[in-house]
Amino acid sequence: MSERKMPTKLVHAGARRSQYGEMSEAIFLTQGFVYASAEEAEARFIEAGPDEFIYARYGNPTVRMFEERIAAIEGTEDAFATASGMAAVNAALTAILKAGDHVVAARALFGSCLYVLEMLGRYGVEVTFVDGTDLDAWRGAVRHGTRAVFLESVSNPTLEVIDIAGVATIAHAVGATVIVDNVFATPVFSRAVSLGADVVVYSATKHIDGGGRCLGGVICASRDFIRKQAEPYLKHTGGAMSPFNAWVMLKGVETLALRVRQQAASAQALAEALSGHDKLARVIFPGLADHPQHALAMSQMGAGGTVVTLELKGGQAAAFRFLNALGIVKISNNLGDAKSIITHPATTTHQRLPAEQKARLGITPGLVRLSLGIEDTDDLIDDVRAALEAA
Ligand SMILES: *Cc1c(COP(=O)(O)O)cnc(C)c1O
C-alpha cells in the first residue's frame, strides 16, 4: 500500500478481513479476546503478534484498521487511536514528560490544548509560551533540557500558520520532540512528517469523521514512540478509542480527500468573494495573498485550509446579528463537518480566557470562525453575503 497515492490509501490501507471476506470493515464490538489455552494467554501477555489482541483498552481489530489507515496517509510507521482529540494531545505530551522537564509551546492554541499545557505546571513541568510565527522566539525559548515543543500548525481561531520545518530544526538542535496538532491542516494537506514533525496528533472528531457523529483522536509517530511511549501510557490510563467509533472513522476516512478538497475550494472562493467587504474589518484566510504566512501556507499545505475567520466591524453585536441571520450555516463549535458551522470564539470556545489574553491572541469581539462544509459553494457565499447585509 505504501507506494499508492493518498486517495487510494484512504479507501484501502489497513483493511483486515475476517474469514467471511466482508467488503465493509467489520466492527469488532468486543472488549476481550479468547485464548485457546493458558499457554497462549501467557505468550500473548509476553508479546502480542500483529493479529493478536488482549483487551480493547490496549487494542482492537477495528481500531487497529483505523490506526494503520491513518499512519499510512500520514507517512508514519505507526499510530495509536484515542477516545478524543484531547486524549491524543494529552497522551502525546504526558507520556514523555516528567517533573523538571521543559516544554516550549506556541501561545495561540485551542482552549483545551492551552489547558493541558498550563496543567503540566502542576506536575513540575515548566512551559514557555512563544509567538509561534516568530522563529527567533522559538530559538530564544528552547534550551538544553527542552524535552518537547508543541504547536498547532494552523492556529485556532486566528489561522496563524507555523513553520513546521523551521521550528523542527530549532527543536532538534536541543534534542526536543516536535509534537504538531495538525487538525486545521487535515491529513489531506499534511506534510508535517516530511517537514520534521516527530509526532502528529489529530482530533478525528473534525474532518476525519466529517459527519459530526463521534469523538476520536489519533497520535501518529515512529513505531518506537507509539509502542514504547504512547501505548504503555494509554493502555494503562484508559484513553482508548471505542471500536464503534473507529468503524465510523474508517468510513469517514474513505471520503476524507473528496470532502476536504471541496471544503478548501469553497473556503478559497468565499474568502476571495468577501475580501474588502464593507461590513468586514478583516478576512483571515491563509489562501489569500494578504495573509502574513500566505507563502508558507502554500508550501506547507498547498492550500489555505477549510476554515475562514472573519472580523466584523461593529464588534460582538454585529457578530451576533450576523450569526443569527445565517440560514445554511449553523451556529455550533465543531469544525470539519460536512455541514458549514460558525463559531463566535470570544463567547464560546475561548470564553474562559482573560480579556487581555484574548486581545493578545487577536480574539476580538467581532471575530467569527467559519468552517466550510460540502454544500454548494455559491449557496454558501449567498448565505454569508445576505447575513452580512442583515448585520
Ligand atoms: C477540536 C480540537 C482538539 C480537540 O479534539 P476533541 O476531539 O474535541 O477532543 C484539539 N486541537 C484542535 C486544534 C482542535 O480543533
Side-chain angles (χ1 to χ4, degrees):
M1 212 15 75
S2 66
E3 70 285 2
R4 301 293 180 196
K5 301 224 167 42
M6 193 238 302
T8 309
K9 293 184 195 171
L10 289 171
V11 178
H12 292 291
R16 292 162 177 241
R17 291 199 163 81
S18 76
Q19 71 272 34
Y20 301 113
E22 64 280 353
M23 174 58 78
S24 175
E25 294 77 357
I27 313 180
F28 290 93
L29 209 50
T30 179
Q31 17 88 332
F33 301 85
V34 178
Y35 313 102
S37 64
E39 289 77 8
E40 192 183 305
E42 181 189 28
R44 206 171 294 182
F45 270 78
I46 295 170
E47 193 179 356
D51 280 322
E52 294 179 346
F53 297 90
I54 294 172
Y55 190 56
R57 178 148 46 71
Y58 300 14
N60 167 287
T62 310
V63 176
R64 194 70 197 124
M65 286 191 258
F66 171 70
E67 292 167 340
E68 288 183 356
R69 189 164 296 176
I70 293 290
I73 315 161
E74 197 60 36
T76 54
E77 289 171 355
D78 213 338
F80 201 98
T82 55
S84 68
M86 285 322 301
V89 169
N90 180 63
L93 287 160
T94 317
I96 60 168
L97 293 172
K98 61 178 188 319
D101 282 344
H102 177 235
V103 173
V104 182
R107 68 183 183 195
L109 296 176
F110 176 64
S112 299
C113 293
L114 196 57
Y115 180 91
V116 167
L117 283 148
E118 287 170 354
M119 182 193 73
L120 291 173
R122 282 199 240 149
Y123 303 105
V125 175
E126 190 194 337
V127 183
T128 308
F129 291 99
V130 297
D131 173 351
T133 62
D134 180 358
L135 288 180
D136 284 334
W138 288 97
R139 224 169 265 124
V142 301
R143 59 185 193 227
H144 182 72
T146 301
R147 182 72 186 84
V149 303
F150 181 86
L151 59 99
E152 289 174 14
S153 55
V154 181
S155 75
N156 177 12
T158 49
L159 310 182
E160 291 178 351
V161 184
I162 297 185
D163 182 350
I164 298 172
V167 174
T169 303
I170 294 164
H172 289 156
V174 296
T177 299
V178 177
I179 305 172
V180 175
D181 178 334
N182 217 23
V183 167
F184 279 58
T186 83
V188 175
F189 298 133
S190 173
R191 292 181 50 230
V193 171
S194 62
L195 295 170
D198 300 302
V199 181
V200 181
V201 294
Y202 287 103
S203 163
T205 315
K206 312 292 168 51
H207 306 79
I208 291 176
D209 177 331
R213 295 161 291 195
C214 292
L215 289 174
V218 61
I219 305 174
C220 306
S222 65
R223 185 151 299 126
D224 210 57
F225 185 93
I226 295 296
R227 296 301 147 201
K228 299 209 174 112
Q229 315 265 9
E231 182 191 301
Y233 178 84
L234 277 159
K235 80 180 189 187
H236 296 302
T237 56
M241 175 179 274
S242 104
F244 180 78
N245 287 9
W247 179 80
V248 172
M249 297 300 178
L250 277 165
K251 292 286 125 190
V253 172
E254 291 184 347
T255 58
L256 182 66
L258 293 175
R259 288 183 284 105
V260 165
R261 286 186 180 137
Q262 171 66 24
Q263 290 167 322
S266 283
Q268 184 74 39
L270 179 84
E272 284 170 10
L274 296 183
S275 150
H277 193 289
D278 63 359
K279 295 276 171 75
L280 294 171
R282 281 193 299 166
V283 176
I284 307 173
F285 183 64
L288 289 180
D290 67 0
H291 187 282
Q293 294 96 35
H294 173 64
L296 174 65
M298 289 301 122
S299 67
Q300 191 159 291
M301 302 192 291
T306 67
V307 174
V308 177
T309 296
L310 306 172
E311 185 174 5
L312 279 94
K313 294 176 182 167
Q316 182 175 324
F320 275 28
R321 281 196 301 274
F322 170 60
L323 261 62
N324 294 339
L326 287 161
I328 300 170
V329 180
K330 301 300 173 219
I331 304 168
S332 188
N333 36 260
N334 192 18
L335 61 94
D337 199 293
K339 299 181 174 74
S340 292
I341 288 175
I342 197 153
T343 308
H344 184 251
T347 54
T348 60
T349 53
H350 291 71
Q351 187 185 104
R352 80 175 176 92
L353 300 187
E356 77 276 359
Q357 197 174 354
K358 281 183 202 161
R360 194 164 60 240
L361 297 175
I363 303 172
T364 58
L367 198 84
V368 298
R369 183 194 78 192
L370 174 52
S371 165
L372 279 295
I374 59 172
E375 303 94 337
D376 180 78
T377 306
D378 293 334
D379 280 351
L380 290 173
I381 294 174
D382 288 349
D383 193 35
V384 170
R385 276 218 175 100
L388 281 174
E389 288 320 312

